[in-house]
Amino acid sequence: MERKIIKGFILMMAVIAGCSFPAGLQGQAFERTVVPSAVLSNRGPNRLHFSHVYLGASLIPPAPMNGTGTSDTGLSSAFTGGFRYKIKLMRPLALVGEVGLVSQGYRIKPGSSFLPGDTVSFRKQTVLVAGIDGGIFLRLRLGQRGNYLGNYIDIGLQGMMPLLSSQITVSQNTGSGTPTHSSEKRTFHRLNCMQPYSFSTLARIGFNRTALVISWRLSGLTDGSTSYDLPRLQIGVETALVSY
Amino acid sequence: MIKRALYLTLFLLPLLMGFVGDSPTRWKMILEKQTGFLEGKEFSTRGITGKGIRIAVIDAGFKGTDTHPGLAHIFANHRIAGTWDFVRNQEDVFTGNQHGTSVLSCIAGIWDGLPCGLAPDATFLLARTEVSGEPFKEEVNWVKAVEWAIKNGADIIQSSIGYTYHRYFQEELTGRYSISAQAAIKAARAGVLLVNSAGNEGSSRWQTVDTPADADSILSVGAIDPQSGIAAGFSSKGPTADGRMKPNVCAPGTVCAFTSNGKSKVMGGTSFAAPLISGFAACLMQLMPHASAQDILHAIEQSGHLYPYYDYSHGFGVPQASHFFQSLQKPLQSEKCQLVIDPQDQSFQVTTEGPCQKTEKSEWSKYIYYHISDSSGMLRMYGVKEFIPLIRNNISRAAFQKGDLLRVYINGHTAEWKEK
């Protein structure tokens, strides 16, 4: 074992030395081809075309069933990430399209049963929905100066196609009617109650790379066979992975 | 036992390297080089220290300037002629960012008995114009500071501030469009020499010089790495959007500069190259009191170690103080030394013949600088590579077109080739 460590160390030092060896040969310090400004690209954060990757995280506040009464869900969360493309229409308007992946996790409160006929009392239950989402938005950029994202407002529509859905339940084992320390985990995949797609309206306020996002789902996530639909409001933050 | 020793070595190696990296030896080497590259001793040994020259320093704040021991001599000799904070409209500028303290130290600081800049005896006007968050008003503050400096008799305006993508597109930096460039030209017309850092966008998407460094008739200063002697990767490059050469000259961009807590630290950026040139300019103004600001600007360019060679990373190179003292001037290019350019299909082969003069700085003697320019003088391509004497050094001719000129610089010698 010690021999292996010694060999590994010697190999590592040899690699480090080998990487520095070419510095001793006739090296190119740098070479640069000059690009005249007349042929500058039309791609850039405030130019005709721009695209970037984004990441986001949201909170899904609990909402009462049918708008009244106590909620059956706890504070839930969602994560999203994808690719966004913007084309400038005219100052200060642009059209933005995006496509990405979304993952939502809804916490179900103990005592509520989400799936029809599910009467198991549980300690913890989560409904996970993951899929592809995409949207189209109209962007109003505030201020015209500079070649950066700047401050902007996006308003538009978003669609989501669930590809995976699961209900994960952690229930406490009871022996002779009294709770024990052990627990049982049950998972149902490919929930039949999920709609094939859903639509949301979304508004985003951006401050350069960071944006606050609020969305409201217009259609149900489930087909009505469940005890209740899942909350529709999401509030979150996004970050654009852009280097200047 | 061996296993423990190896694990300990692997763990300590990065720490050891970090320690060596900030060792007193390296620190002293950097401090000596920041004035050594400019041959600052040629000025100081002759008593030329910027005395009688008024330098306005425009920056983000001067926190710690009034308490730093390395700048105490400025206050002791009453050489702060005026201060103004354009952000809060008050006199106290010793607040906000410490950037101005670091910049000022590269003009007039003295640390451990060693000079950090070239003009410790100059008189100063200090102006604060910047805040965090890049509001548009900052540039307006900068313009006001320039006007204030002119009104208060500044000979030199030192500014390590630049504006880029938050306000402008690259094609707008023509030296006349931005309000700061317009103010810079106004300062030049008023007979004031404005020295501005080129910017640190060399490694970013922006790449080129910021504004007001794009303005005509001002000195834009790029940065060299004092270890290699060539342009630092972060230093913004030229040309301007209208094709003018920038930066004009360059200076060390890794320096020992002061912090707000009374200490000194190794820092990097064109922010610190520019004040070294401001100090150089102040010494020249003291040496040549009847020269105009534009005369001083051209003299500084002509003293560049690469002059008449130039490129869009180094400009004319690092100004050399010895250029201004006849007894120290290097002998003219030896007639017996020849740079031979031999064009091939894919490359140019460059060799030297005869006793070619070497520069005193070993960092520069090992490089061949080359550029290809079109018929208007605008560069298509330029580069630096290690030069090996007595063998053929190859330069790619992929960018070369009919009517272009290849210029090569090695160790104080320049040669050109043009297709007949």
Side-chain angles (χ1 to χ4, degrees), chain B residues 288-326:
Chain B
M288 305 190 291
H290 301 296
S292 68
Q294 293 303 303
D295 290 339
I296 298 289
L297 188 155
H298 294 305
I300 290 175
E301 285 183 334
Q302 286 165 12
S303 70
H305 80 282
L306 298 173
Y307 188 87
Y309 177 89
Y310 64 93
D311 64 34
Y312 296 149
S313 287
H314 301 94
F316 289 112
V318 180
Q320 303 292 284
S322 59
H323 176 83
F324 301 98
F325 303 104
Q326 208 165 355

mmCIF file of all heavy atoms in Angstrom, chain B residues 288-326:
data_model
loop_
_atom_site.group_PDB
_atom_site.id
_atom_site.type_symbol
_atom_site.label_atom_id
_atom_site.label_comp_id
_atom_site.label_asym_id
_atom_site.label_seq_id
_atom_site.Cartn_x
_atom_site.Cartn_y
_atom_site.Cartn_z
ATOM 1 N N MET B 288 11.602 69.176 -17.872
ATOM 2 C CA MET B 288 11.382 70.026 -19.052
ATOM 3 C C MET B 288 10.243 70.992 -18.742
ATOM 4 O O MET B 288 9.115 70.816 -19.208
ATOM 5 C CB MET B 288 11.028 69.154 -20.268
ATOM 6 C CG MET B 288 12.071 68.078 -20.547
ATOM 7 S SD MET B 288 11.864 67.215 -22.120
ATOM 8 C CE MET B 288 10.388 66.292 -21.859
ATOM 9 N N PRO B 289 10.492 72.012 -17.945
ATOM 10 C CA PRO B 289 9.399 72.866 -17.461
ATOM 11 C C PRO B 289 8.698 73.657 -18.552
ATOM 12 O O PRO B 289 7.572 74.119 -18.349
ATOM 13 C CB PRO B 289 10.092 73.806 -16.454
ATOM 14 C CG PRO B 289 11.538 73.747 -16.783
ATOM 15 C CD PRO B 289 11.799 72.424 -17.403
ATOM 16 N N HIS B 290 9.322 73.814 -19.709
ATOM 17 C CA HIS B 290 8.687 74.623 -20.752
ATOM 18 C C HIS B 290 7.967 73.764 -21.787
ATOM 19 O O HIS B 290 7.399 74.297 -22.733
ATOM 20 C CB HIS B 290 9.748 75.502 -21.447
ATOM 21 C CG HIS B 290 10.436 76.418 -20.476
ATOM 22 N ND1 HIS B 290 9.770 77.412 -19.799
ATOM 23 C CD2 HIS B 290 11.718 76.451 -20.039
ATOM 24 C CE1 HIS B 290 10.616 78.036 -18.988
ATOM 25 N NE2 HIS B 290 11.810 77.471 -19.116
ATOM 26 N N ALA B 291 7.995 72.469 -21.595
ATOM 27 C CA ALA B 291 7.324 71.592 -22.554
ATOM 28 C C ALA B 291 5.828 71.582 -22.291
ATOM 29 O O ALA B 291 5.384 71.640 -21.147
ATOM 30 C CB ALA B 291 7.885 70.169 -22.445
ATOM 31 N N SER B 292 5.038 71.492 -23.366
ATOM 32 C CA SER B 292 3.579 71.427 -23.206
ATOM 33 C C SER B 292 3.183 69.999 -22.828
ATOM 34 O O SER B 292 3.983 69.067 -22.927
ATOM 35 C CB SER B 292 2.892 71.833 -24.512
ATOM 36 O OG SER B 292 3.147 70.844 -25.494
ATOM 37 N N ALA B 293 1.929 69.856 -22.460
ATOM 38 C CA ALA B 293 1.434 68.529 -22.079
ATOM 39 C C ALA B 293 1.545 67.548 -23.239
ATOM 40 O O ALA B 293 1.914 66.385 -23.061
ATOM 41 C CB ALA B 293 -0.022 68.629 -21.599
ATOM 42 N N GLN B 294 1.245 68.019 -24.441
ATOM 43 C CA GLN B 294 1.335 67.133 -25.605
ATOM 44 C C GLN B 294 2.789 66.800 -25.940
ATOM 45 O O GLN B 294 3.086 65.681 -26.383
ATOM 46 C CB GLN B 294 0.625 67.775 -26.807
ATOM 47 C CG GLN B 294 -0.883 67.889 -26.622
ATOM 48 C CD GLN B 294 -1.547 66.553 -26.339
ATOM 49 O OE1 GLN B 294 -1.449 65.590 -27.115
ATOM 50 N NE2 GLN B 294 -2.225 66.445 -25.199
ATOM 51 N N ASP B 295 3.693 67.732 -25.704
ATOM 52 C CA ASP B 295 5.129 67.445 -25.891
ATOM 53 C C ASP B 295 5.554 66.341 -24.926
ATOM 54 O O ASP B 295 6.288 65.412 -25.298
ATOM 55 C CB ASP B 295 5.985 68.691 -25.627
ATOM 56 C CG ASP B 295 5.812 69.749 -26.696
ATOM 57 O OD1 ASP B 295 5.362 69.385 -27.804
ATOM 58 O OD2 ASP B 295 6.118 70.930 -26.426
ATOM 59 N N ILE B 296 5.100 66.447 -23.696
ATOM 60 C CA ILE B 296 5.429 65.433 -22.689
ATOM 61 C C ILE B 296 4.847 64.086 -23.111
ATOM 62 O O ILE B 296 5.489 63.033 -23.009
ATOM 63 C CB ILE B 296 4.899 65.833 -21.295
ATOM 64 C CG1 ILE B 296 5.543 67.137 -20.811
ATOM 65 C CG2 ILE B 296 5.094 64.713 -20.284
ATOM 66 C CD1 ILE B 296 6.998 67.029 -20.420
ATOM 67 N N LEU B 297 3.613 64.093 -23.618
ATOM 68 C CA LEU B 297 2.966 62.851 -24.056
ATOM 69 C C LEU B 297 3.789 62.185 -25.151
ATOM 70 O O LEU B 297 4.081 60.979 -25.085
ATOM 71 C CB LEU B 297 1.541 63.160 -24.556
ATOM 72 C CG LEU B 297 0.615 61.995 -24.891
ATOM 73 C CD1 LEU B 297 -0.844 62.418 -24.750
ATOM 74 C CD2 LEU B 297 0.830 61.464 -26.286
ATOM 75 N N HIS B 298 4.186 62.966 -26.146
ATOM 76 C CA HIS B 298 4.965 62.387 -27.260
ATOM 77 C C HIS B 298 6.341 61.941 -26.796
ATOM 78 O O HIS B 298 6.865 60.923 -27.255
ATOM 79 C CB HIS B 298 5.081 63.399 -28.407
ATOM 80 C CG HIS B 298 3.763 63.686 -29.051
ATOM 81 N ND1 HIS B 298 2.954 62.696 -29.567
ATOM 82 C CD2 HIS B 298 3.102 64.853 -29.246
ATOM 83 C CE1 HIS B 298 1.840 63.236 -30.038
ATOM 84 N NE2 HIS B 298 1.901 64.543 -29.858
ATOM 85 N N ALA B 299 6.932 62.692 -25.856
ATOM 86 C CA ALA B 299 8.247 62.312 -25.326
ATOM 87 C C ALA B 299 8.156 60.976 -24.587
ATOM 88 O O ALA B 299 9.042 60.123 -24.706
ATOM 89 C CB ALA B 299 8.776 63.400 -24.396
ATOM 90 N N ILE B 300 7.082 60.795 -23.838
ATOM 91 C CA ILE B 300 6.898 59.536 -23.112
ATOM 92 C C ILE B 300 6.737 58.389 -24.095
ATOM 93 O O ILE B 300 7.311 57.310 -23.927
ATOM 94 C CB ILE B 300 5.688 59.636 -22.150
ATOM 95 C CG1 ILE B 300 6.014 60.582 -20.987
ATOM 96 C CG2 ILE B 300 5.288 58.266 -21.632
ATOM 97 C CD1 ILE B 300 4.864 60.859 -20.047
ATOM 98 N N GLU B 301 5.969 58.620 -25.154
ATOM 99 C CA GLU B 301 5.798 57.561 -26.170
ATOM 100 C C GLU B 301 7.138 57.207 -26.809
ATOM 101 O O GLU B 301 7.469 56.032 -26.991
ATOM 102 C CB GLU B 301 4.809 58.027 -27.244
ATOM 103 C CG GLU B 301 3.363 58.023 -26.801
ATOM 104 C CD GLU B 301 2.420 58.432 -27.922
ATOM 105 O OE1 GLU B 301 2.856 59.161 -28.838
ATOM 106 O OE2 GLU B 301 1.244 58.027 -27.882
ATOM 107 N N GLN B 302 7.915 58.242 -27.144
ATOM 108 C CA GLN B 302 9.189 57.997 -27.822
ATOM 109 C C GLN B 302 10.207 57.343 -26.917
ATOM 110 O O GLN B 302 11.195 56.773 -27.392
ATOM 111 C CB GLN B 302 9.742 59.315 -28.383
ATOM 112 C CG GLN B 302 8.977 59.784 -29.604
ATOM 113 C CD GLN B 302 9.267 61.226 -29.944
ATOM 114 O OE1 GLN B 302 10.197 61.835 -29.419
ATOM 115 N NE2 GLN B 302 8.458 61.786 -30.828
ATOM 116 N N SER B 303 9.996 57.419 -25.611
ATOM 117 C CA SER B 303 10.927 56.774 -24.690
ATOM 118 C C SER B 303 10.531 55.331 -24.403
ATOM 119 O O SER B 303 11.213 54.647 -23.629
ATOM 120 C CB SER B 303 10.991 57.561 -23.371
ATOM 121 O OG SER B 303 9.779 57.416 -22.642
ATOM 122 N N GLY B 304 9.445 54.860 -25.019
ATOM 123 C CA GLY B 304 9.006 53.484 -24.813
ATOM 124 C C GLY B 304 10.078 52.496 -25.256
ATOM 125 O O GLY B 304 10.746 52.727 -26.263
ATOM 126 N N HIS B 305 10.233 51.411 -24.552
ATOM 127 C CA HIS B 305 11.348 50.504 -24.839
ATOM 128 C C HIS B 305 11.201 49.814 -26.201
ATOM 129 O O HIS B 305 12.163 49.275 -26.717
ATOM 130 C CB HIS B 305 11.512 49.467 -23.716
ATOM 131 C CG HIS B 305 10.547 48.304 -23.769
ATOM 132 N ND1 HIS B 305 9.232 48.384 -23.356
ATOM 133 C CD2 HIS B 305 10.729 47.027 -24.175
ATOM 134 C CE1 HIS B 305 8.651 47.199 -23.514
ATOM 135 N NE2 HIS B 305 9.529 46.358 -24.004
ATOM 136 N N LEU B 306 9.991 49.850 -26.789
ATOM 137 C CA LEU B 306 9.798 49.220 -28.085
ATOM 138 C C LEU B 306 9.844 50.230 -29.230
ATOM 139 O O LEU B 306 9.912 49.831 -30.385
ATOM 140 C CB LEU B 306 8.436 48.510 -28.135
ATOM 141 C CG LEU B 306 8.219 47.371 -27.140
ATOM 142 C CD1 LEU B 306 6.761 46.897 -27.207
ATOM 143 C CD2 LEU B 306 9.148 46.214 -27.429
ATOM 144 N N TYR B 307 9.800 51.499 -28.908
ATOM 145 C CA TYR B 307 9.678 52.528 -29.941
ATOM 146 C C TYR B 307 10.767 52.361 -31.006
ATOM 147 O O TYR B 307 11.933 52.136 -30.654
ATOM 148 C CB TYR B 307 9.783 53.914 -29.291
ATOM 149 C CG TYR B 307 9.478 55.061 -30.220
ATOM 150 C CD1 TYR B 307 8.169 55.511 -30.388
ATOM 151 C CD2 TYR B 307 10.489 55.669 -30.964
ATOM 152 C CE1 TYR B 307 7.873 56.554 -31.242
ATOM 153 C CE2 TYR B 307 10.206 56.713 -31.829
ATOM 154 C CZ TYR B 307 8.900 57.161 -31.960
ATOM 155 O OH TYR B 307 8.618 58.189 -32.817
ATOM 156 N N PRO B 308 10.484 52.470 -32.323
ATOM 157 C CA PRO B 308 9.208 52.822 -32.967
ATOM 158 C C PRO B 308 8.247 51.666 -33.174
ATOM 159 O O PRO B 308 7.171 51.837 -33.734
ATOM 160 C CB PRO B 308 9.684 53.356 -34.328
ATOM 161 C CG PRO B 308 10.897 52.528 -34.624
ATOM 162 C CD PRO B 308 11.565 52.276 -33.298
ATOM 163 N N TYR B 309 8.618 50.471 -32.738
ATOM 164 C CA TYR B 309 7.676 49.354 -32.828
ATOM 165 C C TYR B 309 6.510 49.622 -31.872
ATOM 166 O O TYR B 309 6.670 50.280 -30.834
ATOM 167 C CB TYR B 309 8.385 48.045 -32.458
ATOM 168 C CG TYR B 309 7.466 46.851 -32.456
ATOM 169 C CD1 TYR B 309 7.259 46.104 -33.601
ATOM 170 C CD2 TYR B 309 6.766 46.502 -31.297
ATOM 171 C CE1 TYR B 309 6.392 45.029 -33.610
ATOM 172 C CE2 TYR B 309 5.892 45.432 -31.298
ATOM 173 C CZ TYR B 309 5.709 44.705 -32.451
ATOM 174 O OH TYR B 309 4.837 43.652 -32.448
ATOM 175 N N TYR B 310 5.346 49.124 -32.210
ATOM 176 C CA TYR B 310 4.187 49.278 -31.330
ATOM 177 C C TYR B 310 3.243 48.104 -31.567
ATOM 178 O O TYR B 310 3.314 47.429 -32.599
ATOM 179 C CB TYR B 310 3.436 50.597 -31.612
ATOM 180 C CG TYR B 310 2.827 50.648 -33.002
ATOM 181 C CD1 TYR B 310 1.512 50.247 -33.235
ATOM 182 C CD2 TYR B 310 3.580 51.068 -34.096
ATOM 183 C CE1 TYR B 310 0.965 50.265 -34.508
ATOM 184 C CE2 TYR B 310 3.034 51.093 -35.370
ATOM 185 C CZ TYR B 310 1.739 50.690 -35.575
ATOM 186 O OH TYR B 310 1.202 50.711 -36.838
ATOM 187 N N ASP B 311 2.388 47.871 -30.618
ATOM 188 C CA ASP B 311 1.276 46.946 -30.842
ATOM 189 C C ASP B 311 0.121 47.335 -29.933
ATOM 190 O O ASP B 311 0.227 48.294 -29.156
ATOM 191 C CB ASP B 311 1.684 45.466 -30.685
ATOM 192 C CG ASP B 311 2.133 45.088 -29.278
ATOM 193 O OD1 ASP B 311 1.578 45.659 -28.306
ATOM 194 O OD2 ASP B 311 3.023 44.233 -29.139
ATOM 195 N N TYR B 312 -0.990 46.639 -30.017
ATOM 196 C CA TYR B 312 -2.191 47.042 -29.292
ATOM 197 C C TYR B 312 -2.263 46.458 -27.888
ATOM 198 O O TYR B 312 -3.283 46.594 -27.220
ATOM 199 C CB TYR B 312 -3.441 46.629 -30.080
ATOM 200 C CG TYR B 312 -3.594 47.300 -31.420
ATOM 201 C CD1 TYR B 312 -4.224 46.635 -32.471
ATOM 202 C CD2 TYR B 312 -3.115 48.578 -31.655
ATOM 203 C CE1 TYR B 312 -4.381 47.240 -33.713
ATOM 204 C CE2 TYR B 312 -3.259 49.185 -32.890
ATOM 205 C CZ TYR B 312 -3.898 48.514 -33.915
ATOM 206 O OH TYR B 312 -4.046 49.106 -35.151
ATOM 207 N N SER B 313 -1.208 45.811 -27.435
ATOM 208 C CA SER B 313 -1.140 45.385 -26.039
ATOM 209 C C SER B 313 -0.118 46.207 -25.254
ATOM 210 O O SER B 313 -0.353 46.539 -24.095
ATOM 211 C CB SER B 313 -0.755 43.901 -25.942
ATOM 212 O OG SER B 313 -1.823 43.080 -26.340
ATOM 213 N N HIS B 314 1.014 46.530 -25.890
ATOM 214 C CA HIS B 314 2.089 47.264 -25.208
ATOM 215 C C HIS B 314 2.127 48.743 -25.566
ATOM 216 O O HIS B 314 2.801 49.521 -24.885
ATOM 217 C CB HIS B 314 3.448 46.669 -25.572
ATOM 218 C CG HIS B 314 3.609 45.228 -25.228
ATOM 219 N ND1 HIS B 314 3.351 44.213 -26.131
ATOM 220 C CD2 HIS B 314 3.990 44.618 -24.084
ATOM 221 C CE1 HIS B 314 3.583 43.052 -25.562
ATOM 222 N NE2 HIS B 314 3.970 43.259 -24.326
ATOM 223 N N GLY B 315 1.446 49.152 -26.635
ATOM 224 C CA GLY B 315 1.679 50.499 -27.155
ATOM 225 C C GLY B 315 3.128 50.577 -27.615
ATOM 226 O O GLY B 315 3.624 49.675 -28.285
ATOM 227 N N PHE B 316 3.817 51.662 -27.229
ATOM 228 C CA PHE B 316 5.234 51.783 -27.567
ATOM 229 C C PHE B 316 6.132 51.157 -26.492
ATOM 230 O O PHE B 316 7.351 51.312 -26.533
ATOM 231 C CB PHE B 316 5.616 53.255 -27.748
ATOM 232 C CG PHE B 316 5.048 53.877 -28.994
ATOM 233 C CD1 PHE B 316 4.070 54.855 -28.920
ATOM 234 C CD2 PHE B 316 5.487 53.476 -30.244
ATOM 235 C CE1 PHE B 316 3.531 55.426 -30.065
ATOM 236 C CE2 PHE B 316 4.967 54.039 -31.407
ATOM 237 C CZ PHE B 316 3.980 55.012 -31.315
ATOM 238 N N GLY B 317 5.535 50.501 -25.512
ATOM 239 C CA GLY B 317 6.328 49.826 -24.496
ATOM 240 C C GLY B 317 6.410 50.621 -23.201
ATOM 241 O O GLY B 317 5.635 51.547 -22.960
ATOM 242 N N VAL B 318 7.340 50.243 -22.359
ATOM 243 C CA VAL B 318 7.516 50.886 -21.052
ATOM 244 C C VAL B 318 8.472 52.077 -21.213
ATOM 245 O O VAL B 318 9.591 51.907 -21.700
ATOM 246 C CB VAL B 318 8.098 49.891 -20.026
ATOM 247 C CG1 VAL B 318 8.285 50.560 -18.678
ATOM 248 C CG2 VAL B 318 7.204 48.669 -19.899
ATOM 249 N N PRO B 319 8.060 53.275 -20.823
ATOM 250 C CA PRO B 319 8.942 54.450 -20.951
ATOM 251 C C PRO B 319 10.224 54.267 -20.144
ATOM 252 O O PRO B 319 10.212 53.714 -19.042
ATOM 253 C CB PRO B 319 8.091 55.595 -20.377
ATOM 254 C CG PRO B 319 6.688 55.118 -20.482
ATOM 255 C CD PRO B 319 6.730 53.641 -20.300
ATOM 256 N N GLN B 320 11.311 54.720 -20.699
ATOM 257 C CA GLN B 320 12.623 54.566 -20.062
ATOM 258 C C GLN B 320 13.192 55.933 -19.723
ATOM 259 O O GLN B 320 13.355 56.791 -20.587
ATOM 260 C CB GLN B 320 13.578 53.841 -21.019
ATOM 261 C CG GLN B 320 13.067 52.475 -21.462
ATOM 262 C CD GLN B 320 13.038 51.494 -20.319
ATOM 263 O OE1 GLN B 320 14.062 50.983 -19.899
ATOM 264 N NE2 GLN B 320 11.856 51.228 -19.791
ATOM 265 N N ALA B 321 13.517 56.136 -18.437
ATOM 266 C CA ALA B 321 14.029 57.438 -17.991
ATOM 267 C C ALA B 321 15.369 57.759 -18.635
ATOM 268 O O ALA B 321 15.694 58.918 -18.897
ATOM 269 C CB ALA B 321 14.151 57.451 -16.469
ATOM 270 N N SER B 322 16.154 56.723 -18.912
ATOM 271 C CA SER B 322 17.492 56.967 -19.467
ATOM 272 C C SER B 322 17.423 57.643 -20.833
ATOM 273 O O SER B 322 18.380 58.260 -21.277
ATOM 274 C CB SER B 322 18.244 55.639 -19.595
ATOM 275 O OG SER B 322 17.529 54.747 -20.423
ATOM 276 N N HIS B 323 16.279 57.537 -21.491
ATOM 277 C CA HIS B 323 16.095 58.161 -22.807
ATOM 278 C C HIS B 323 16.330 59.667 -22.739
ATOM 279 O O HIS B 323 16.718 60.297 -23.731
ATOM 280 C CB HIS B 323 14.673 57.848 -23.295
ATOM 281 C CG HIS B 323 14.294 58.494 -24.583
ATOM 282 N ND1 HIS B 323 14.639 57.959 -25.822
ATOM 283 C CD2 HIS B 323 13.610 59.630 -24.849
ATOM 284 C CE1 HIS B 323 14.174 58.733 -26.770
ATOM 285 N NE2 HIS B 323 13.538 59.751 -26.220
ATOM 286 N N PHE B 324 16.112 60.269 -21.551
ATOM 287 C CA PHE B 324 16.147 61.723 -21.442
ATOM 288 C C PHE B 324 17.490 62.247 -20.945
ATOM 289 O O PHE B 324 17.654 63.459 -20.762
ATOM 290 C CB PHE B 324 15.016 62.198 -20.514
ATOM 291 C CG PHE B 324 13.669 61.776 -21.017
ATOM 292 C CD1 PHE B 324 13.037 60.659 -20.517
ATOM 293 C CD2 PHE B 324 13.058 62.479 -22.043
ATOM 294 C CE1 PHE B 324 11.809 60.250 -21.010
ATOM 295 C CE2 PHE B 324 11.830 62.083 -22.541
ATOM 296 C CZ PHE B 324 11.204 60.968 -22.035
ATOM 297 N N PHE B 325 18.419 61.354 -20.733
ATOM 298 C CA PHE B 325 19.729 61.796 -20.265
ATOM 299 C C PHE B 325 20.769 61.350 -21.286
ATOM 300 O O PHE B 325 21.010 60.170 -21.469
ATOM 301 C CB PHE B 325 20.024 61.221 -18.878
ATOM 302 C CG PHE B 325 18.973 61.596 -17.878
ATOM 303 C CD1 PHE B 325 18.014 60.693 -17.461
ATOM 304 C CD2 PHE B 325 18.918 62.894 -17.389
ATOM 305 C CE1 PHE B 325 17.033 61.054 -16.554
ATOM 306 C CE2 PHE B 325 17.935 63.262 -16.482
ATOM 307 C CZ PHE B 325 16.993 62.347 -16.069
ATOM 308 N N GLN B 326 21.394 62.315 -21.962
ATOM 309 C CA GLN B 326 22.261 62.023 -23.102
ATOM 310 C C GLN B 326 23.354 61.045 -22.750
ATOM 311 O O GLN B 326 23.694 60.165 -23.516
ATOM 312 C CB GLN B 326 22.892 63.328 -23.614
ATOM 313 C CG GLN B 326 23.222 63.268 -25.078
ATOM 314 C CD GLN B 326 23.500 64.653 -25.619
ATOM 315 O OE1 GLN B 326 23.358 65.641 -24.921
ATOM 316 N NE2 GLN B 326 23.938 64.720 -26.845
#
